[in-house]
Amino acid sequence: MLSALNAPGCRRHPWLLLLPKEEREGGGGSGGGVGQRQSQQRAGGGSSMPRAGCKSAGSWSKGTGGPEPGQISLVVFIGLLFTRFWFFSILYSIWWYLDQDKPRQGGRCSKALQSWVMWKHMRDYFPISLVKTAELDPSRNYLAGFHPQGIMAPGAFVNLCTESTGFSSLFPGIRPHLIMLPFWFRVPFFREYLMMGGLVTSDKESIAHILNRKGGGNLAAIIIGGAQEALNARPGAYTLLLRNRKGFIKLALLHGAALVPMFSFGENDLFDQVENSPGSWLRWIQDKLQKTTSFSFPLFHGRGIFQYSFGFIPYRQPITTVGIIGS
């Protein structure tokens, strides 16, 4: 069970320092550690499986106003009900109900969608690149912790949900899945687009499903800081949120998955954010809203279409995503 973290190089993993000493050192061949706790859970009839949860798992669209395609999809779905094509919405509602568990069961990835030429244009706009530091064994499953959240996390989306940076060529046999808030999978039509891109919900059952797949070759990527970390995203600074975010480490231990840290340099340089230092009235309001809704509301701006002083288009700053793997 702990072979994922007992391999050479993995014992030095900095994330393990977040766990209590007895959890870091437990789980050897004597039957202690995680294996023993699993037996106690089964014997006790209850589950104390750590929550991956929306707040700790983070997501690509972590509540910065939401992706526009989701809003458009909802408007189209409702609008069709008031036209002669109302039956399309009714039929989709039936499909939606029958298919409601799919986002928690690995989704339905589409290589055709992930290979759209538009993603290459999106990659080249910043530009975005993916750096490989070591091989990933396709016979194993992986849990990747992605830093930082940034405002909209285009580095995570482009590298893990599209083929524009050549993920499948760099890591043959590995199928990436980016974790996202369950809310967005309740938006009609938009949920299909998300699943085709390889996104799945941040429910603990969803992550467990990926990590327990037979044959290996699966990678679940969690943006650790999530919505709360987005409030600290500003150019030239990286303030990562790690405290009280231990659930993903415990999930890796429970399911025997290898931990893969990923860091996206330049992710915070895409937007300017209104000053909201801890203790300020703005930050107090933002924290209250985030705790209430699980969404964060950073006040940010970028560039416009024809001018660079103000707008909501991200600045053209390079993003380099690196997978850091012990060897």
Side-chain angles (χ1 to χ4, degrees):
M1 180 62 69
L2 294 181
S3 60
L5 296 177
N6 286 340
C10 293
R11 190 178 295 275
R12 300 187 298 272
H13 206 303
W15 279 337
L16 291 180
L17 299 178
L18 297 175
L19 290 174
K21 181 178 179 181
E22 59 273 14
E23 294 190 32
R24 297 198 305 266
E25 298 179 352
S30 60
V34 174
Q36 184 176 4
R37 287 195 297 276
Q38 285 182 305
S39 300
Q40 293 171 350
Q41 290 171 13
R42 290 192 292 267
S47 174
S48 59
M49 185 178 182
R51 292 175 58 90
C54 301
K55 294 182 180 180
S56 62
S59 69
W60 164 49
S61 61
K62 68 281 172 242
T64 56
E68 290 184 4
Q71 300 167 0
I72 295 173
S73 298
L74 187 59
V75 170
V76 170
F77 177 79
I78 297 175
L80 285 174
L81 292 173
F82 299 93
T83 69
R84 60 180 177 175
F85 302 106
W86 56 269
F87 57 91
F88 281 112
S89 290
I90 299 301
L91 290 175
Y92 183 80
S93 297
I94 297 173
W95 161 255
W96 188 8
Y97 174 77
L98 296 175
D99 193 57
Q100 60 183 313
D101 292 331
K102 193 62 177 179
R104 295 190 295 271
Q105 297 173 348
R108 55 173 69 88
C109 185
S110 169
K111 288 298 181 183
L113 182 142
Q114 291 181 328
S115 301
W116 280 0
V117 67
M118 63 177 292
W119 305 132
K120 294 183 179 180
H121 293 298
M122 182 176 179
R123 173 202 64 193
D124 295 339
Y125 171 81
F126 294 98
I128 299 174
S129 59
L130 178 63
V131 177
K132 175 182 178 180
T133 61
E135 298 288 342
L136 291 181
D137 183 357
S139 67
R140 301 191 61 186
N141 291 324
Y142 299 87
L143 183 59
F146 192 96
H147 305 279
Q149 168 69 66
I151 297 294
M152 292 183 178
F157 176 74
V158 169
N159 285 310
L160 299 174
C161 300
T162 80
E163 280 297 322
S164 60
T165 55
F167 184 94
S168 62
S169 298
L170 290 173
F171 304 101
I174 303 296
R175 296 175 294 275
H177 297 275
L178 184 59
I179 306 302
M180 191 175 188
L181 289 177
F183 169 82
W184 296 111
F185 294 90
R186 301 188 184 103
V187 179
F189 303 127
F190 187 53
R191 69 188 291 272
E192 314 301 332
Y193 161 75
L194 295 177
M195 287 192 288
M196 291 174 70
L199 290 109
V200 295
T201 70
S202 57
D203 300 313
K204 60 183 180 182
E205 296 85 0
S206 173
I207 301 174
H209 178 86
I210 294 173
L211 299 183
N212 285 330
R213 276 180 171 173
K214 302 297 183 182
N218 300 283
L219 182 145
I222 301 176
I223 302 181
I224 306 302
Q228 190 175 353
E229 190 177 88
L231 298 176
N232 296 318
R234 47 182 34 87
Y238 293 98
T239 303
L240 306 182
L241 186 62
L242 293 170
R243 183 176 298 175
N244 299 325
R245 300 297 171 103
K246 305 173 185 177
F248 73 103
I249 303 177
K250 294 180 180 179
L251 278 172
L253 291 169
L254 285 171
H255 299 291
L259 284 169
V260 179
M262 300 184 72
F263 199 94
S264 198
F265 296 93
E267 199 80 51
N268 284 354
D269 298 335
L270 308 182
F271 294 95
D272 290 311
Q273 187 170 173
V274 174
E275 180 60 36
N276 61 341
S277 57
S280 65
W281 65 270
L282 176 58
R283 187 57 170 266
W284 182 85
I285 294 174
Q286 290 174 324
D287 287 339
K288 289 293 184 182
L289 289 173
Q290 193 273 322
K291 291 178 181 178
T292 302
T293 66
S294 295
F295 290 81
S296 67
F297 299 89
L299 300 181
F300 65 92
H301 71 86
R303 52 162 288 187
I305 298 178
F306 302 110
Q307 45 78 30
Y308 292 87
S309 58
F310 185 83
F312 295 101
I313 298 176
Y315 297 124
R316 298 189 69 176
Q317 296 292 334
I319 300 173
T320 304
T321 304
V322 182
I324 308 168
I325 307 168
S327 58

